[in-house]
Structure formats: structure tokens, C-alpha cells
Amino acid sequence: MIEPASFQDRTEEFFSIIENLKTQEKEIFNKKQNNNEKTQKQKKKTGFMIAASYIGKQIYSTCLKLSKLSKLAQSNSLVYDTSQEIQELTHIIKQEIQELNSKIQELQTYLNNNKPNNSQSSNHTKNIIDSLKNNLKNATKDFQNVLEQRNENLKIQQERKSRLGDDSNINMLKQQQTPIYHRPLTYEADPLNQFVLNEEQEKKSGNQEENFFEDFQTQKTIANQSTRYYQERVDAVEDIEKTINEVSSVFNQLSVIINEQDVQIDWIEKNVEDTLVNVEKGETELTKYMQSLKSNRWLIFKIFIVLIIFIIIFSLIM
Amino acid sequence: MNLREKQYNNLLKVLHPEEKYQTISQSNWKILIFDKDCHQIISSLFTLMDLRKNGITLHLQINLERHLIQDSPTIYFCRPTKKNINIIIGDCSKGIYDSLYLNFTPSISRENLEQLARGLLETDSTQKINKIIDHYLNYITYEETFFTLNIKNSYYKLQVDNQNESKITKTINQIVEGLFGVLVTLKVIPIIRCPPNGAAAFVAKELNKKIYEHLKQPRNLFQEETPLSVVNFQRITLIILDRDIDFNVMLHHSWIYHSLIYDVLETSLNQVTVDVDLEAKTNENSNENSNEKPKENSNENSFKKNNKKTFYIHEDDDFWKDNHFKPFPDIGDQISILTKEFQENKANITEPDLNLDVMQNAQNLSSKVSNLPQLQKRKKEIDKHTSIATGILEQIQQRDLGTFFDVEQAVMGSSSTSSNEFQDVLKLLRNPKGSSFDKLRLFLIYFISKQTIKEDDLNVLLKTLEEQNIEYQSYYNHFNELKMLQKKQMQMNANSRSKNNNIFRDIAQKFGLHEMLPKRYELPITRVVSSIMNVKQDTKSANYFFDYLDPKKMPKYQTPFKSAIVFVVGGGNPSEFINLKQFSDSQQMKRNIIYGSTEIINAQEFLNQLSLKIGNDEKI
């Protein structure tokens, strides 16, 4: 984005005015200057903010890892080399996400125990936590998508190979077909576009492998190795599905909270204005009431005076 | 020339005072504090969700009580008034925030800046200030090329005869500041054209002076990144006009969707409020698909209260973008077409293709799922516009607006009277359906459009209004005065400059369209703009007698303009915006026209301003 330059930075001008004022009225401000330094020393970040920004950074670094993973998952022409790395990375990310989730919850409980002393401040901290959760939710969703892609890729590969190889694997595959589509319905366009692209790439690389495997078949002596390969693949698929399930539980936890928040997310306008109007209304009502009270008091007063006069007159007559 | 986008980018700078704009690392949480004006600027462009994405956790009004919040940078976005500055000083001395970024719009004066410095020194909190930045964003954009300065009662405020001078100067300055902001945001130095006298001329002269003074500074805000681009040779024109150019457009009943929304529904800026109960009644049957996704309604960016819903209309909404300028009947058709399309798409998704096996079906499903968010958005749009259209339809039926529209269109079409037309008007004034405001508008249009009305006819009309208990007298007097003034002016011109008295024909034509209604209906404002943009040389055209001001003081520019900013002093409405847009689209060489006004108001608000003015007259 091009930085728009249609604004003017007046900070320098402001501070030069301050310097001028200081030299003009030295005595007055010198005393305060000392206090100033003291207050600056006192300025320290609270534990909550440190923790929150730490988590924020962690989420960011997890996101970076995630993008690396998705790249790896896309470019798997050298199947044997990357699968190891992918597994490791998957494992790391999974752990990080779970860790972050528990950390955010810790932060939440910490906040519940040490409530800030005013509603605005607590709103602020609550929103910080929400934004952390939201970021983590997005990361989790992306992670889930990458895993599902990977899972599908593996299955497609395997199906192709099983067409060439023995039939026993097909049965295993069919058993595993059902649990793929338990995704949530809210999807962003990007990861899915990637997904479509990815599939196409996958087809190309799959073709290469077919050729590769035809060679394999001619050398039947290595048949044992290929069954071991299948076994590994099946393990990998199972592993990934397990991870998906675990991660999706985190995701669900988060999305419940976020959904609650979504309802509140409306345009800004009304809330603030409504309160303002209400406050004003209340004020006018109060002043009205005050006035009516005042007039009532006067009325009672007057009645009393009249009564007293009557009593005096009566007593005089009597 | 997309003003909305440019303003958005400038606002991002407000929200990200230190960093360059980035979306990924969001661990910078900030608090936003704004005053009422800046609040409106932001809320016309940002949703709460957008603010969250930009790291704003909390947004507060500057004039309300605020409490201590530790550790988070605080962004102030407000007008540089003495009151706001005192509040900022107060906040600092109370120490409720640790680090402050001050954003002012428009720029803070040296005097106020010194006041701020002094106040902060006294309370010993200068180290809390991180940055002070001037912005030039005090206008509100509805659409890419449609803005308002949001100055309330601007027509009333600029009436010379009942205001003291300082008030008028204040309003004019406000307008100049706003227009200057628009120009800075667009980074253009225009050639200013205005009528030779009136409020518009005032504004133009002041603005010209302001830009000229500003250009003398070594670093000015109009400098572009690539100073020697070809674009620089292309000048742009800013046409400033008075509301007097055309009253009819403010009064008539339009048939255009956009205008109708502003005319008959409750609106404030770009929000529309519709009674949803009504919609529920009429739409019970057609809404069978609402059970499908009950979650959707709760997520909608609308606000439910007392069975009323508030919708936001802006260009992110595709339906709005494609259809807002269309006549109302087309909207209904469009909605039903889209609903049908949507149903088909939905059926496509829910019903599996039986010819494929399980695996292929599953794959198909995933690609279908990827379309869901788009489809969902579409549905939301359809629902929204169905509600709005239903609300409008109800009003149209109740008030018989169709007839009003037809008759008014005919009345405005010619300046001479005919008995048929008169009968139509009379019939409509006696129509029990229309509201008294509708009738008043019709009468005023008839009165303004016709050069001479027979006295008998006029009396009949006035009597009818009286029978209907419509308070017309004051408005009638107002326009009658204006009409007399015009006639006098015309006569004077005829006497003094008998040779070319036609020069002032355009001014005389303020009251109505004197030509036969062309196929493509052009409003007076559009004819003025067209004449100036095409640099028409003939002595009848607005181009000939409008003043020419160039802040750059360059030799007179004679080539036709590709782009223009049209600004009406004293209130504008969507009809003019759309008419100009249609004009710019219809040209062989595509033109860019930005339309703005001191405020966007409907007929009722405009008449209210007139009654304010009239009320004031009577007091004196």
C-alpha cells in the first residue's frame, strides 16, 4: 500500500513550542521536571499486557510455521523427503496451538481473579483476549485445512497406487472415507482456492508417480518394499486424522466463544449514541423532579403559614 | 477518482500511527477516542469488525466519562476545538492513559497547539504525547463519488437576511475546510467555477484564497509522489453551486431507488431504518428458506430494536452498487430474479448428483462449500433489500406516490400551463391518500415551474390547500418572493443589457426546466456541469458567465475537462448525484464526476429548513 501523505505531522512543532515555553518560564517548570523523571521510572507494564503481547507474538510465529507447512504440503513432488518434515512440523504446530490455547485460558482465569477496577478497562482486556482467541481460531482453522488437504492428497495418491497394486488397501481406504467432511460451514475463500490449485498440482505429480510406479512393477523384486510403503502411508493418514480431531476440539472450543462475540459485532454508531441520549433524558427528568419537589416544598410551607395564621386568629377570637 | 477508498486509506493512518499498515501481527492493541463528528466519519467507513482487525479494542466518546486503562496506546481522533483540547489536557493530568497519539481534523491552529502545550506542561505530562498529526478528513463519503460535509441546516444558515454575519462566515469557513479536505485527499488543485454572486461565490473565493496561500508553503499537501506525471497537465474543475439553481429536485417525488430510500424511509447518513414487522407480514410465505440457516440472522450487520431494523447501504453491497440508480419497479424485478437464482444455487448444493459415486460427490461437495460464503453474502443482500423495498412499497401504496411522480414529472416538463395539467394537480391535491407534505410539495413544484399561473387557478389551488388544512402560506410567500426577485432581475437585465439578455437565461431558469423533457432527463445542475466540462463557448451557457478562479494562477485552461467535482452549497440529494453519474457514464469520453453537498437531505428536511427561515422572518 502506498503511504498516503495527505496529513501533516505536527509533533516536532509541538515539542519546539514546549521547549520555547520551558525556556520562557524556567522556574515554574523546573520543579516539575524532577517529578517527571520519577513518574517515568514508575511506568511499568502490567503482567497482563506482557503475557498478552507474548501470546500475540507466539501466535504470529505459529502462523509463520503454518504457512511453511502449507507450502511443504503443496510441493510434495519428492514425497519421501518432505513427509518426514511435514510430520514433524505438524507435530510442533499442534503442540503450539494446544499450548497457546491453554495459555489464553490461563490468562482468562487470571483476569477473572484480578478484575480491573473499571468497566472500560475490563472491556479493553476482554477485547484483547477475544482478539487473541480470534487469531488463534483462524490459525487453527488454517491448520485444519492444511491437514485435510494433506490427508486428501495422501489418499488420492494411495488410491492410484492401489489400482496398480494389491486390493487389500482399497478396503482399508473405503473404511476411512467417511470422516473427512466434518468441517465447519464458515469458510474463507483463500484457503479453498489454494486447495483447488493444490489438487491440480497433485494430479500432475500423481501422474509422474504412476510412471515411476510402472517401472517399479517391472522390477517385482522390490514388491516387499512397496507394501511397507503402503503401511507407512496408512499410518500417516491415521496420524493426520487423529491430529485433525484434536485440533478441531480446540477450534470448537474457540469458535463457541467467538460466535457469542459475533452477535455483538455490529456497526458502532448506535450503542454510544443511545447511552448518550438516555443519560440526557435521565438528567432532564431529574431536574424536572427537582423542580417539582421544590415547588411542593413551597406549597406545604404556604399551607402551613395559612394554617398557623388561622389558628392564631381563632385563638385570638376565642 | 475514488474518494471513499482514499479516505479509507487515510483513516488507516489514523488507526496505525506508528507502524505501516499490516494485518498479520496484531499484538498492538489500541484505544480509540473520538468526538461526534469524527465518529461519523469513521463509522461510515469502518465496521466494528474492521476496527478490531486494526487492533482497536475499545472506542469511546471524548465527552463521556472515561476510566483508567493501563499500558495501551490511545488514539485520539477529533476536531481541534478548545473544548476537545481541554478534555485531552484533563485526561493527561488525570493520567488515565500512558501514551497518546493525537489526530486532528482539520488542522490544529498554532494558537490551539500552544494552548495544548501549555496545558500539558502545567500538568506535567508532555512525555505522554507521542505524535500529533493533522488530517484533512472532515467530510463523510457515502459512495465512491458521493460525499457530504454534514453541516446541519446549511441552507438556513446561509440565508443572508436573517443571520448575523459572523455566523455566516463561520458556516462558510466550515464549508471551505471541508472542501479543502476533499481536495487534499484527492491531491488535486482544481480550477474553481462558481456563479458570480451568492453563497457559492463566497465559498469559492475563500477556498481559492486558502489553496493559493497554502501553495506558497515550501512543503504542501498537494505534492504527489511522482511530480512530473502526465496527469498533472490534466486539470480538474470544481464547480460550486447554490441550492437556488434548482428547488424542484429537492421537492419532487423521485422514482429512483436511492432517492426513494432517502425520501420515504428513516435515514441517517448511510443507515436506513425499516419497520420489520411489516416485512414479516408480507413475507411470511416467501421466507421459507430462513429456517435453513437460523444463525445467519444473528450475524447480520443490522440492528434490531422495537421491530425496526437498521441497514447500512454502501458500495460493498453488490446489489446496491448495481441497482441503486434504477427506478423502483426494476428493483422488485431484480430482487425476484436474484431470489430465483439463489434458490437454484441452493438446490444445486443441497441435492447430491446421483450419477456420481460417493467419492466424486464428496469432492464436488467441497467445491460447492467454497461457494457458500459468497452465496451467504448474496442472501444477506437480497434479504436486506427485500426489507427495504417492502418498506418503500408500503409507503408508495399508502401515499399514492406513483401518481404524484407522474404529475410532477409532467409539471416540471414545461413552463407553460395547460388546463389538463391543472386538473391533474387539483385532483391530486384532493386525493385523500397523499400526505399533506406530499401535496405541499406538488403545489410548490407547480408554482415554481410555471412562469405565469392564472390568478383564478392559483386561488382555486390555494383554497384547496386550505380545505385540506395544509399550512402553505409561509412557503408560498417565500417562493413567491424569490419568483418576483427573479422576474425583476430578468427585467433589469433586459433593460441594461438588452443585446444579450439571454446570458442570464440560465439563472432565470432556476425555476424549472423550460425545455421539453428530453428522453434522458437532465437536471439543471447536470446541464451546468455539462456546459462547463465541455467548455461551451456560446453566450447562453453557464460556462460563459460563471466566474473562473485558478489557485495556481495559470493561463486560462481551454480543453474539456475529464474530471469534475460538483458541490452544492445548501443541501443536495441522491437524485442529483445519480443524474450526474448517468451523464458522466453516457459521454463518449468517460467523465469522472464527484458530487457533494453541505448536507444530504430529503424534501421534508428541506421544507423544515425553509420553515425555520420563515419562522425567523416573522419574528423580525
Side-chain angles (χ1 to χ4, degrees):
Chain A
M1 197 192 78
I2 309 157
E3 190 96 351
S6 36
F7 54 84
Q8 264 175 334
D9 198 329
R10 300 282 290 271
T11 323
E12 272 177 43
E13 192 185 342
F14 174 71
F15 281 108
S16 75
I17 291 175
I18 283 186
E19 286 311 310
N20 279 340
L21 282 175
K22 271 183 188 168
T23 47
Q24 275 171 28
E25 300 157 60
K26 237 179 185 169
E27 294 103 49
I28 308 166
F29 295 123
N30 256 353
K31 285 178 201 163
K32 284 180 179 170
Q33 198 64 36
N34 296 330
N35 296 335
N36 187 1
E37 276 158 27
K38 275 180 205 162
T39 49
Q40 258 186 333
K41 272 175 198 165
Q42 282 167 3
K43 197 177 149 192
K44 231 183 178 181
K45 281 207 165 187
T46 53
F48 172 78
M49 278 312 279
I50 294 169
S53 55
Y54 174 74
I55 293 174
K57 273 172 201 151
Q58 282 295 308
I59 290 176
Y60 182 59
S61 80
T62 309
C63 281
L64 288 181
K65 277 180 199 139
L66 195 62
S67 63
K68 197 178 158 197
L69 177 70
S70 78
K71 261 182 208 154
L72 276 179
Q74 274 172 31
S75 64
N76 53 354
S77 55
L78 294 165
V79 191
Y80 291 95
D81 284 340
T82 49
S83 62
Q84 186 68 20
E85 210 176 322
I86 288 177
Q87 264 179 356
E88 274 170 26
L89 208 56
T90 312
H91 199 64
I92 293 171
I93 293 176
K94 189 186 83 183
Q95 270 186 338
E96 277 186 353
I97 284 181
Q98 279 170 341
E99 218 171 282
L100 283 170
N101 188 34
S102 62
K103 263 186 196 158
I104 291 179
Q105 252 144 24
E106 267 171 45
L107 200 64
Q108 179 103 57
T109 47
Y110 167 81
L111 203 67
N112 287 340
N113 296 332
N114 310 289
K115 272 199 171 147
N117 36 10
N118 62 62
S119 62
Q120 282 175 6
S121 193
S122 66
N123 250 339
H124 175 61
T125 45
K126 189 184 142 271
N127 283 333
I128 288 178
I129 287 183
D130 282 350
S131 97
L132 283 176
K133 276 180 190 160
N134 209 4
N135 289 355
L136 187 61
K137 191 192 91 173
N138 289 338
T140 317
K141 200 162 71 181
D142 289 349
F143 185 47
Q144 218 174 346
N145 285 344
V146 172
L147 286 181
E148 270 163 21
Q149 274 173 36
R150 172 80 185 142
N151 197 358
E152 234 150 282
N153 291 349
L154 284 177
K155 275 180 186 165
I156 292 163
Q157 278 176 23
Q158 214 153 11
E159 200 188 42
R160 286 207 184 101
K161 277 160 204 161
S162 63
R163 259 186 237 142
L164 306 163
D166 50 13
D167 289 357
S168 63
N169 281 315
I170 298 175
N171 292 330
M172 284 176 76
L173 268 167
K174 277 192 175 163
Q175 283 170 359
Q176 285 171 359
Q177 264 169 6
T178 33
I180 311 172
Y181 296 100
H182 49 65
R183 309 182 190 187
L185 275 173
T186 45
Y187 269 83
E188 275 158 16
D190 277 347
L192 273 149
N193 284 338
Q194 274 177 12
F195 169 64
V196 174
L197 274 176
N198 201 33
E199 248 186 353
E200 280 169 7
Q201 279 181 357
E202 188 51 44
K203 273 176 197 157
K204 279 178 202 160
S205 64
N207 284 335
Q208 281 176 1
E209 264 168 55
E210 269 176 49
N211 296 332
F212 179 60
F213 250 77
E214 273 166 20
D215 291 344
F216 246 70
Q217 263 201 328
T218 53
Q219 299 174 311
K220 293 234 171 182
T221 43
I222 324 173
N224 278 340
Q225 269 187 19
S226 71
T227 44
R228 217 178 71 207
Y229 168 80
Y230 290 142
Q231 196 52 48
E232 272 174 19
R233 286 286 126 150
V234 171
D235 287 347
V237 170
E238 277 172 357
D239 194 42
I240 289 176
E241 280 191 352
K242 221 175 82 194
T243 321
I244 292 177
N245 282 335
E246 279 170 17
V247 168
S248 73
S249 80
V250 174
F251 177 78
N252 285 339
Q253 248 179 334
L254 287 166
S255 62
V256 168
I257 307 157
I258 300 296
N259 261 338
E260 280 169 14
Q261 190 200 355
D262 260 1
V263 183
Q264 292 167 5
I265 289 177
D266 271 316
W267 292 62
I268 327 170
E269 198 75 25
K270 288 280 154 101
N271 286 324
V272 194
E273 252 169 41
D274 280 355
T275 31
L276 246 180
V277 170
N278 287 338
V279 167
E280 274 166 17
K281 259 189 201 164
E283 216 178 283
T284 48
E285 284 302 314
L286 271 179
T287 44
K288 261 189 209 163
Y289 187 62
M290 266 287 285
Q291 272 163 356
S292 69
L293 265 188
K294 266 185 196 163
S295 56
N296 273 349
R297 241 181 257 158
W298 269 110
L299 197 70
I300 292 167
F301 212 68
K302 281 172 193 162
I303 291 172
F304 253 100
I305 291 174
V306 170
L307 269 178
I308 289 167
I309 291 171
F310 262 102
I311 291 168
I312 292 169
I313 293 171
F314 261 104
S315 59
L316 281 177
I317 293 171
M318 296 293 272
Chain B
M1 295 221 301
N2 186 340
L3 188 63
R4 197 176 156 85
E5 192 185 302
K6 283 185 175 159
Q7 194 185 25
Y8 184 85
N9 288 341
N10 275 308
L11 279 169
L12 283 180
K13 178 66 195 164
V14 175
L15 301 181
H16 300 269
E18 288 289 4
E19 336 101 81
K20 295 233 163 98
Y21 174 62
Q22 47 189 188
T23 39
I24 315 159
S25 91
Q26 293 173 336
S27 50
N28 284 315
W29 292 289
K30 290 151 290 188
I31 302 156
L32 181 67
I33 292 166
F34 39 56
D35 64 2
K36 211 181 151 219
D37 291 314
C38 294
H39 181 191
Q40 285 178 329
I41 296 169
I42 285 195
S43 68
S44 70
L45 285 164
F46 285 80
T47 63
L48 192 53
M49 198 60 169
D50 292 335
L51 285 184
R52 289 280 143 78
K53 275 185 194 151
N54 285 299
I56 304 294
T57 57
L58 209 59
H59 51 87
L60 300 165
Q61 295 265 21
I62 197 167
N63 52 349
L64 294 181
E65 202 192 341
R66 283 165 287 111
H67 305 286
L68 173 79
I69 295 172
Q70 281 176 312
D71 295 338
S72 289
T74 307
I75 299 168
Y76 283 79
F77 182 45
C78 57
R79 299 172 63 83
T81 57
K82 288 237 180 327
K83 205 175 144 201
N84 284 341
I85 286 169
N86 284 330
I87 293 174
I88 293 171
I89 294 169
D91 286 349
C92 284
S93 71
K94 276 186 256 166
I96 51 177
Y97 309 120
D98 300 324
S99 92
L100 277 71
Y101 294 88
L102 306 181
N103 295 281
F104 293 110
T105 178
S107 71
I108 180 169
S109 66
R110 177 82 184 180
E111 182 199 347
N112 285 352
L113 199 62
E114 274 168 18
Q115 185 205 345
L116 179 68
R118 195 172 287 276
L120 291 180
L121 263 180
E122 275 163 14
T123 57
D124 184 32
S125 39
T126 49
Q127 80 284 354
K128 284 180 184 160
I129 304 293
N130 278 325
K131 262 188 183 173
I132 297 176
I133 296 172
D134 279 351
H135 290 270
Y136 299 87
L137 298 169
N138 35 325
Y139 55 90
I140 292 165
T141 46
Y142 289 94
E143 315 270 330
E144 283 173 10
T145 57
F146 188 22
F147 71 94
T148 170
L149 300 186
N150 205 24
I151 299 169
K152 290 263 144 56
N153 288 334
S154 55
Y155 183 76
Y156 164 69
K157 279 180 187 163
L158 287 168
Q159 294 304 308
V160 191
D161 40 330
N162 50 24
Q163 301 282 321
N164 57 31
E165 213 166 293
S166 71
K167 258 190 192 162
I168 291 178
T169 329
K170 200 183 143 205
T171 313
I172 291 213
N173 278 338
Q174 228 177 327
I175 297 171
V176 170
E177 285 285 359
L179 276 175
F180 186 74
V182 171
L183 296 177
V184 166
T185 312
L186 291 170
K187 284 184 179 301
V188 291
I189 302 167
I191 289 162
I192 304 168
R193 305 300 305 269
C194 64
N197 40 42
F202 254 111
V203 172
K205 270 166 206 149
E206 287 297 315
L207 183 65
N208 183 38
K209 211 166 82 189
K210 189 173 167 75
I211 299 172
Y212 181 67
E213 295 293 324
H214 181 80
L215 287 177
K216 280 183 190 163
Q217 288 174 17
R219 276 193 63 227
N220 71 60
L221 291 160
F222 294 102
Q223 269 162 3
E224 298 208 31
E225 281 93 53
T226 48
L228 276 173
S229 60
V230 192
V231 194
N232 264 359
F233 294 112
Q234 281 268 357
R235 295 295 297 274
I236 167 176
T237 177
L238 166 65
I239 303 164
I240 303 176
L241 296 160
D242 271 318
R243 182 66 274 160
D244 302 23
I245 187 173
D246 182 10
F247 284 118
N248 278 339
V249 74
M250 299 304 288
L251 297 173
H252 85 297
H253 292 88
S254 176
W255 215 224
I256 294 165
Y257 187 44
H258 196 153
S259 311
L260 265 170
I261 287 178
Y262 280 85
D263 195 359
V264 302
L265 296 178
E266 232 177 281
T267 54
S268 101
L269 295 179
N270 54 356
Q271 309 162 24
V272 190
T273 310
V274 187
D275 200 336
V276 196
D277 262 1
L278 207 90
E279 183 211 349
K281 266 182 240 152
T282 41
N283 271 22
E284 246 163 22
N285 304 325
S286 62
N287 252 358
E288 72 225 352
N289 44 3
S290 60
N291 311 328
E292 190 90 12
K293 300 173 202 104
K295 248 174 73 182
E296 213 170 65
N297 286 330
S298 53
N299 289 345
E300 212 163 302
N301 62 353
S302 53
F303 198 85
K304 207 169 182 178
K305 202 182 168 190
N306 301 339
N307 298 322
K308 281 189 175 179
K309 256 189 176 172
T310 302
F311 298 102
Y312 288 76
I313 41 174
H314 45 78
E315 283 179 352
D316 302 340
D317 170 348
D318 286 329
F319 184 88
W320 178 250
K321 200 173 181 179
D322 296 342
N323 297 300
H324 72 100
F325 53 87
K326 290 188 181 157
F328 186 70
D330 288 3
I331 300 295
D333 294 346
Q334 202 63 29
I335 287 177
S336 55
I337 289 170
L338 284 176
T339 317
K340 217 173 160 191
E341 207 176 277
F342 174 78
Q343 299 281 13
E344 274 167 19
N345 281 334
K346 204 188 80 183
N348 237 334
I349 283 181
T350 44
E351 280 163 32
D353 197 337
L354 296 171
N355 299 327
L356 301 168
D357 66 42
V358 184
M359 195 63 190
Q360 273 171 311
N361 239 328
Q363 264 167 13
N364 269 359
L365 190 67
S366 74
S367 67
K368 281 173 185 169
V369 161
S370 68
N371 289 329
L372 263 185
Q374 277 174 10
L375 216 62
Q376 227 174 355
K377 185 176 171 252
R378 204 75 183 150
K379 174 157 193 314
K380 260 185 220 169
E381 283 171 11
I382 296 172
D383 283 352
K384 176 164 109 184
H385 289 284
T386 313
S387 309
I388 295 175
T390 322
I392 293 177
L393 195 66
E394 178 73 14
Q395 288 288 318
I396 290 179
Q397 283 167 348
Q398 252 176 35
R399 288 154 61 178
D400 206 2
L401 295 182
T403 333
F404 276 99
F405 167 75
D406 286 340
V407 174
E408 281 170 9
Q409 203 72 352
V411 167
M412 293 191 298
S414 74
S415 60
S416 53
T417 49
S418 76
S419 62
N420 269 347
E421 216 173 75
F422 174 73
Q423 287 307 324
D424 281 344
V425 173
L426 196 61
K427 216 168 95 192
L428 209 45
L429 287 183
R430 288 179 177 149
N431 185 339
K433 267 182 159 180
S435 76
S436 42
F437 251 115
D438 292 329
K439 289 172 186 170
L440 181 62
R441 281 159 69 180
L442 173 68
F443 166 71
L444 289 176
I445 288 171
Y446 186 75
F447 180 70
I448 291 167
S449 301
K450 305 300 169 191
Q451 269 177 333
T452 46
I453 302 174
K454 270 183 258 163
E455 204 149 311
D456 292 348
D457 286 358
L458 189 63
N459 285 336
V460 173
L461 288 178
L462 292 179
K463 213 176 157 197
T464 320
L465 285 176
E466 237 162 71
E467 279 165 14
Q468 305 272 334
N469 278 329
I470 296 167
E471 164 49 38
Y472 68 90
Q473 195 63 44
S474 42
Y475 303 104
Y476 167 71
N477 287 346
H478 174 73
F479 282 109
N480 198 20
E481 258 172 49
L482 275 173
K483 211 172 170 179
M484 298 300 246
L485 206 74
Q486 290 305 321
K487 264 187 191 158
K488 233 187 237 167
Q489 231 173 37
M490 250 168 66
Q491 275 167 0
M492 259 170 59
N493 293 327
N495 293 337
S496 61
R497 308 172 73 169
S498 51
K499 265 187 197 167
N500 44 7
N501 58 0
N502 272 335
I503 300 170
F504 284 86
R505 226 178 70 127
D506 263 32
I507 288 192
Q509 278 180 1
K510 275 171 190 173
F511 297 111
L513 295 158
H514 292 230
E515 285 148 32
M516 280 306 288
L517 203 64
K519 265 185 192 159
R520 210 188 62 248
Y521 176 73
E522 270 186 1
L523 292 172
I525 188 172
T526 310
R527 278 186 282 128
V528 170
V529 170
S530 138
S531 139
I532 288 174
M533 285 186 84
N534 293 323
V535 200
K536 274 195 188 143
Q537 291 304 331
D538 76 280
T539 49
K540 285 179 196 171
S541 68
N543 183 44
Y544 186 81
F545 68 85
F546 264 42
D547 280 358
Y548 180 100
L549 303 166
D550 183 4
K552 272 184 165 174
K553 311 261 181 227
M554 300 234 292
K556 197 163 178 180
Y557 190 81
Q558 292 289 4
T559 34
F561 292 99
K562 256 188 95 175
S563 319
I565 303 167
V566 180
F567 184 81
V568 183
V569 177
N573 67 8
S575 300
E576 282 187 327
F577 162 61
I578 287 160
N579 202 267
L580 282 170
K581 203 172 164 180
Q582 278 165 349
F583 159 75
S584 68
D585 291 345
S586 71
Q587 297 289 297
Q588 285 171 338
M589 175 176 87
K590 183 151 181 347
R591 310 295 175 90
N592 295 308
I593 298 178
I594 292 180
Y595 172 80
S597 182
T598 43
E599 61 184 328
I600 302 301
I601 43 175
N602 63 23
Q604 178 131 18
E605 288 162 320
F606 186 65
L607 285 177
N608 284 346
Q609 278 190 43
L610 284 183
S611 70
L612 269 180
K613 173 180 151 46
I614 291 153
N616 232 329
D617 280 348
E618 278 163 2
K619 262 182 229 160
I620 297 163

